[in-house]
Amino acid sequence: MIKTASLAAAALVAALTFGAPAQAANLDEGIVQYRMENFEEALALLQKARAEQPESSLAAFYLGMARKQGGDIAGAIKDLTDAATLKPPVLDAYLELADAWHVQGDDDKALEWANRSEAAGVNPARSAFLKGIILAGLGKTDEAVASFEKAKGLDPSLNQPAQLQIAMAMAGSRKLTRARDALRAVVAADPNSEIAGYAREYEQSFTRILESYRPLHLTLGLNYLYDDNAISSPSNAGARAQIGNPTGQRDHAFMGSFRLDYTPLLENDYTFSAQYLVQSTKYGDTNTAEENPSTVINSLTVNPGRSFGNSIFSLPINFSHVFLKEKEYQVLVTVRPTWSWQAAPQHILQAAANFTRRDMLQDPLVQDEDRDANIGGASAGYIFSYGDQGGMAALRYDFSYDNARGVNWKNRGHRYSASGVIPLSAALKFNLSGEVSTQDYFKTNTVFDVQRDDTTWFGTAGLSWNLTGNVALLAQYSHTTAKSNIKVYDYNRNTFSTGIEFSF
């Protein structure tokens, strides 16, 4: 709390200004009890003084301070605001309001009052220090550091705490090298102080992070898959016969994946990651290459971004090339600008737009079946994280507009999905996800002479068990039910996979 000579002067002025000794008695005694740190007694007296002298800025100030000491921050803000705006204003209320709004979690209002405190010359060193804390909370790292540096220059006794705050601000913006250097300065200033002990622990942690951080990560996966409908054969027997597959197709497959992730540690507000992924699924029991649904997918993603306080804008760009049935099948290029905002601790909101160019690498049988397309879309999502073992729940909605070249594939889609990760222990996690999607086609299908309408349900449940930091066992079951008014697109499918994943 602020204790300055200006308050004593203000008390004298108030005693002369606000008249009758009977009116001033409660105020004077309340101030005395407050300074003796008898805050409950002070609060009762100052409430009486405020009722007796509603226009007294001094009574409002000390009542606000007593409320603040008692933990009534909302009440303190009301009285301190009166103290700052009544005539004559108590200038010390500016700094106290900045602190109270910061405690209340409204750093925008806290910054407004910190700026007024700084402009009025109220305790310049502490005004600069508090302003630095508020700016750091708003994610304005460079401005925060400048305020802490100013506080150090105005009051040498703030050197160590200011250096510690500079280190924390640097760490928050991933400037770990500069954070480590700031912490070393804290220790050097007074190696035997309590704050130096904290700084030394943080400095050692940052050093370990910098020494152990690896921007490149390699992941290899090997899995076995059982699939009871490998070629998405229709549920209806007549529809299966229509496409020349009267029995459907159960099969098993071996899946392999190779993933290389690059995540450099950038020491500023910019972010970047890149990933190269190869996935191969090789089915074994199908009789001919024409029927074999084996795939090989090559995918490259780059994701630049920038953080803005509690939010981040990213621009993932993905290129994918797909082989199906041992032949080139399609190429996809997707751009997805995404805004993620941490609305509160553990709560993240997301909004995104996307554009995809799809090129099919095999000629369609008829022009109306041409699936080359420009696909636009948008999505909104919510993510909630919980616990200290990676628990998560998420909801998402996606809209798409598939402007295919062939009229039989022009459609708009809606997808609603939910997913979650439930930690059963530090090493064992249960994963759940489900979605329902609808696709409304715009034109009457020229092959089946009906306007197609699809609804698809998809769900998965799985376990992941981290045997070590580099080895995980995986098991997953998934189910798909596709309903369509064109029976050749109506099917059910169940898969079960199990495997092992190595990371380096």
Side-chain angles (χ1 to χ4, degrees):
M1 295 299 167
I2 301 169
K3 298 179 181 179
T4 65
S6 62
L7 295 180
L12 178 61
V13 171
L16 297 173
T17 302
F18 296 110
Q23 284 188 324
N26 285 321
L27 177 57
D28 291 344
E29 183 60 23
I31 292 172
V32 170
Q33 293 298 324
Y34 175 83
R35 290 179 174 173
M36 293 175 63
E37 299 186 357
N38 298 323
F39 298 120
E40 290 185 8
E41 293 85 346
L43 180 64
L45 290 164
L46 291 167
Q47 285 175 324
K48 292 179 182 178
R50 187 82 213 275
E52 293 166 352
Q53 305 178 48
E55 298 304 314
S56 170
S57 56
L58 193 67
F61 176 78
Y62 271 105
L63 178 57
M65 295 296 287
R67 292 191 194 279
K68 194 176 177 187
Q69 287 286 359
D72 180 9
I73 303 301
I77 287 173
K78 181 180 181 300
D79 289 313
L80 290 170
T81 301
D82 288 343
T85 54
L86 289 170
K87 304 297 183 183
V90 178
L91 299 183
D92 290 320
Y94 296 172
L95 185 54
E96 293 296 342
L97 274 168
D99 181 57
W101 279 116
H102 174 65
V103 172
Q104 196 79 336
D106 192 335
D107 278 337
D108 289 321
K109 287 184 179 174
L111 182 59
E112 176 187 337
W113 284 105
N115 284 330
R116 292 184 65 174
S117 178
E118 193 173 44
V122 178
N123 202 327
R126 295 196 175 275
S127 290
F129 186 84
L130 179 57
K131 183 178 176 180
I133 291 175
I134 295 166
L135 288 166
L138 290 169
K140 300 179 179 180
T141 303
D142 292 339
E143 295 176 54
V145 170
S147 285
F148 291 131
E149 293 288 356
K150 181 179 179 180
K152 286 166 50 182
L154 292 169
D155 184 354
S157 69
L158 292 176
N159 182 67
Q160 276 197 314
Q163 282 292 136
L164 185 61
Q165 291 296 332
I166 288 171
M168 296 300 100
M170 292 295 183
S173 61
R174 300 180 307 281
K175 300 177 181 178
L176 296 186
T177 301
R178 292 179 63 185
R180 181 182 60 181
D181 293 341
L183 290 168
R184 287 174 175 171
V186 174
V187 177
D190 186 357
N192 297 318
S193 65
E194 182 178 0
I195 197 170
Y198 290 123
R200 190 177 289 109
E201 292 179 11
Y202 282 123
E203 185 266 330
Q204 291 171 353
S205 297
F206 291 157
T207 297
R208 285 194 295 270
I209 292 171
L210 290 167
E211 290 176 349
S212 62
Y213 186 78
R214 294 179 294 114
L216 282 174
H217 294 269
L218 172 64
T219 304
L220 299 175
L222 297 171
N223 291 269
Y224 166 80
L225 172 73
Y226 171 76
D227 190 335
D228 73 353
N229 191 0
I231 59 175
S232 301
S233 183
S235 302
N236 182 276
R240 289 200 301 271
Q242 187 176 354
I243 63 172
N245 185 258
T247 60
Q249 181 64 62
R250 291 183 174 86
D251 206 345
H252 62 88
F254 288 96
M255 300 186 298
S257 64
F258 170 94
R259 188 176 78 241
L260 184 63
D261 293 284
Y262 176 61
T263 52
L265 188 63
L266 302 181
E267 295 192 350
N268 49 40
D269 293 331
Y270 293 94
T271 64
F272 181 81
S273 63
Q275 181 187 93
Y276 174 64
L277 174 65
V278 181
Q279 293 175 299
S280 175
T281 304
K282 180 65 175 176
Y283 284 87
D285 288 344
T286 45
N287 297 321
T288 67
E290 284 300 319
E291 296 176 344
N292 194 310
S294 297
T295 59
V296 177
I297 302 172
N298 281 273
S299 176
L300 176 65
T301 303
V302 294
N303 187 12
R306 185 180 181 186
S307 60
F308 301 88
N310 292 331
S311 64
I312 184 169
F313 175 78
S314 58
L315 188 66
I317 302 170
N318 174 265
F319 171 85
S320 295
H321 181 276
V322 181
F323 282 88
L324 175 64
K325 301 178 182 179
E326 301 180 359
K327 296 179 181 179
E328 288 190 319
Y329 179 64
Q330 70 177 0
V331 168
L332 298 167
V333 179
T334 300
V335 181
R336 186 183 180 85
T338 303
W339 188 273
S340 301
W341 175 46
Q342 185 172 357
Q346 300 176 293
H347 299 270
I348 296 175
L349 300 177
Q350 285 189 327
N354 64 77
F355 172 81
T356 299
R357 174 60 192 177
R358 180 178 65 214
D359 288 309
M360 307 304 294
L361 302 179
Q362 299 175 21
D363 294 331
L365 295 176
V366 295
Q367 188 62 38
D368 292 342
E369 289 288 307
D370 191 342
R371 294 184 61 196
D372 288 353
N374 294 320
I375 306 169
S379 66
Y382 164 71
I383 302 171
F384 170 66
S385 60
Y386 62 91
D388 56 2
Q389 295 181 342
M392 182 273 291
L395 298 172
R396 180 165 155 173
Y397 165 73
D398 291 88
F399 170 79
S400 63
Y401 183 89
D402 190 329
N403 188 25
R405 183 176 297 176
V407 295
N408 290 344
W409 289 94
K410 292 179 182 289
N411 71 87
R412 63 173 168 263
H414 304 272
R415 182 173 64 184
Y416 309 87
S417 59
S419 60
V421 177
I422 304 171
L424 303 179
S425 69
L428 184 63
K429 292 181 173 61
F430 182 52
N431 308 283
L432 280 172
S433 67
E435 66 180 53
V436 57
S437 60
T438 62
Q439 288 176 288
D440 304 317
Y441 291 80
F442 299 138
K443 302 292 184 179
T444 298
N445 190 287
T446 57
V447 176
F448 298 97
D449 196 30
V450 65
Q451 189 169 341
R452 182 177 169 185
D453 186 6
D454 292 358
T455 301
T456 304
W457 289 267
F458 176 76
T460 66
L463 288 170
S464 60
W465 180 21
N466 292 320
L467 294 178
T468 69
N470 303 100
V471 180
L473 295 180
L474 310 171
Q476 180 174 285
Y477 166 78
S478 66
H479 172 79
T480 305
T481 294
K483 295 295 183 182
S484 176
N485 59 344
I486 299 178
K487 293 305 179 183
V488 297
Y489 301 114
D490 190 300
Y491 69 92
N492 292 304
R493 185 180 186 184
N494 296 281
T495 65
F496 173 78
S497 65
T498 184
I500 190 168
E501 190 174 85
F502 303 91
S503 58
F504 307 93

